[in-house]
Amino acid sequence: MLIRDKFKDKRPLISFEIFPPKREYPVETIYNTIDALNDMEPDFISVTYGAGGSTKDTTVDIASFIEKKYSLSALAHLTCLTSTKEEIDDTLNLLKVSGVRNVLALRGDYPKDAGANYKGPNHYKYAKDLITHIKKREDFCVGAACYPEKHLECYNLDKDLVHLKEKVDSGVDFLITQLFFDNETFYRFKEKTDKLNIDIPIIAGILPVLSKNQVEKILSLTGCTLPQKFLRILEKYENNPDALREAGIAYATDQIIDLLSWGVDGIHIYTMNRPKTTRRILESIKTIRGVLTNGEAS
Ligand code: FAD
């Protein structure tokens, strides 16, 4: 089912992100994870696309497996920066014949080999160029990324929002945010998108932090900020992985309950392929989820 159609009769949506196994492992190693996540009745599961298209085929295979085995909507991520327009069409055709109709259309990050030129006429420069192309085909529901604290490369949030508005106007059906740790940042961002008449659903991306290494990596990749409340947890438990994990789960749960109470369109949990962690969060919001989606406790 198309994700945009799900929004017509249900909000908030609850969804999960997974990433394909590393190349040296067979694709089947992810199946138990998907099985466990499917038990939690998400509205869709998204499958990331490795940097530079490194997981192109497995992303399609896993998304197709989710659709076929569970009749559950899969959202296949797709980046355009390092693929030619022809290669993008090959992937879109493959997604279509594999029964995957939801795509998260992204630009991707510049690879470290700075000498490479990905800006020629055979490449889509920005996500909006990819989206314009996909929308011409009329066979996909298209999601895109947004950044409550601005994208790392853009010099300020207002400019990034101008680009976001152009991207949305190229035909985006819904947005998913980069992770954030302070809900007030998201609420301010939503005020700004409302002012720009961006009226498609915006799903909040939430990461339950599991280790200090993970936080350091995320900060360097995303440039997101950490509120005092979160920093206190990191400092206090940085040498005790179990305590940090417990606090990380509680922090993410707290964020999600606040976002749901505020009236968010959807929550997308960056599961890091850890269904046990995701299950603990979902258990904690079980009744709230029932009240919000069915009007009664489940
Ligand atoms: P764009 O929307 O094209 O924006 C990129 C930059 O260009 C921004 O700074 C924007 O302000 C600027 N810009 C846009 N239009 C213009 C213009 N006309 N003129 C000048 N500047 C402009 N990466 C992966 O490799 N694989 C994944 O699976 C993946 N999944 C993701 C999922 C989510 C929910 C998010 C938030 C990110 C994901 N990413 C993934 C990371 C993403 O690829 C990077 O953040 C990338 O750097 C930007 O992608 P984008 O689609 O947001 O780009």
Side-chain angles (χ1 to χ4, degrees):
M1 185 176 177
L2 300 183
I3 293 169
R4 66 166 175 256
D5 291 337
K6 286 179 181 266
F7 276 114
K8 285 181 190 155
D9 49 29
K10 188 179 179 194
R11 286 191 205 200
L13 298 188
I14 303 286
S15 54
F16 304 144
E17 179 186 285
I18 58 171
F19 52 81
K22 286 190 177 140
R23 272 191 198 168
E24 55 269 35
Y25 298 106
V27 68
E28 292 78 17
T29 53
I30 191 88
Y31 288 178
N32 285 343
T33 301
I34 298 172
D35 212 44
L37 290 173
N38 177 63
D39 268 359
M40 293 171 236
E41 301 182 351
D43 294 292
F44 66 89
I45 293 181
S46 84
V47 188
T48 65
Y49 196 77
S54 54
T55 63
K56 184 167 70 179
D57 293 339
T58 33
T59 298
V60 178
D61 287 348
I62 294 168
S64 175
F65 174 81
I66 292 169
E67 288 274 355
K68 288 185 179 139
K69 171 143 191 214
Y70 301 103
S71 298
L72 171 64
S73 298
L75 171 66
H77 297 207
L78 174 64
T79 67
C80 60
L81 196 64
T82 57
S83 299
T84 62
K85 291 180 177 176
E86 205 179 346
E87 286 165 342
I88 290 286
D89 267 329
D90 288 346
T91 306
L92 290 169
N93 291 336
L94 189 60
L95 283 167
K96 192 178 176 186
V97 296
S98 307
V100 181
R101 304 271 313 283
N102 300 290
V103 173
L104 189 70
L106 303 147
R107 188 200 66 179
D109 287 318
Y110 280 97
K112 291 194 179 75
D113 50 336
N117 180 10
Y118 300 111
K119 294 181 179 168
N122 288 331
H123 291 81
Y124 298 108
K125 189 172 179 188
Y126 297 113
K128 73 168 183 284
D129 305 319
L130 171 66
I131 292 160
T132 303
H133 173 69
I134 300 177
K135 277 291 161 173
K136 275 193 205 135
R137 299 174 49 120
E138 294 180 351
D139 45 9
F140 290 99
C141 166
V142 177
C146 64
Y147 303 84
E149 296 181 77
K150 84 170 184 67
H151 183 251
L152 202 57
E153 289 167 28
C154 201
Y155 56 88
N156 74 32
L157 179 58
D158 286 338
K159 190 69 190 168
D160 202 30
L161 279 161
V162 170
H163 297 148
L164 179 65
K165 172 70 176 161
E166 282 169 14
K167 178 158 77 172
V168 168
D169 288 347
S170 68
V172 178
D173 293 300
F174 63 93
L175 293 166
I176 304 182
T177 73
Q178 179 169 270
L179 58 94
F180 56 88
F181 294 104
D182 181 355
N183 288 356
E184 294 307 321
T185 310
F186 176 80
Y187 302 143
R188 283 194 297 272
F189 175 73
K190 189 67 175 58
E191 273 171 25
K192 285 177 181 268
T193 57
D194 285 348
K195 276 192 189 140
L196 290 169
N197 296 320
I198 293 177
D199 57 3
I200 54 174
I202 303 185
I203 302 175
I206 298 295
L207 175 81
V209 162
L210 302 174
S211 74
K212 192 159 181 258
N213 282 351
Q214 182 198 23
V215 178
E216 280 162 2
K217 197 171 165 200
I218 288 162
L219 290 187
S220 69
L221 286 173
T222 64
C224 72
T225 52
L226 301 179
Q228 278 304 323
K229 187 176 163 187
F230 188 86
L231 283 169
R232 273 195 294 276
I233 290 173
L234 261 193
E235 276 163 25
K236 191 81 175 168
Y237 307 116
E238 64 177 307
N239 297 319
N240 187 327
D242 288 344
L244 183 58
R245 203 156 52 88
E246 194 166 296
I249 291 170
Y251 192 94
T253 307
D254 191 41
Q255 262 193 292
I256 291 170
I257 292 173
D258 181 53
L259 286 158
L260 291 173
S261 310
W262 176 86
V264 73
D265 295 319
I267 298 285
H268 192 59
I269 300 180
Y270 295 112
T271 72
M272 306 303 289
N273 294 1
R274 305 276 189 119
K276 281 189 190 154
T277 304
T278 311
R279 187 178 296 283
R280 282 183 59 184
I281 296 175
L282 272 271
E283 281 294 321
S284 302
I285 62 162
K286 195 172 164 194
T287 310
I288 292 171
R289 193 179 174 193
V291 169
L292 292 174
T293 53
N294 310 321
E296 60 190 41
S298 59

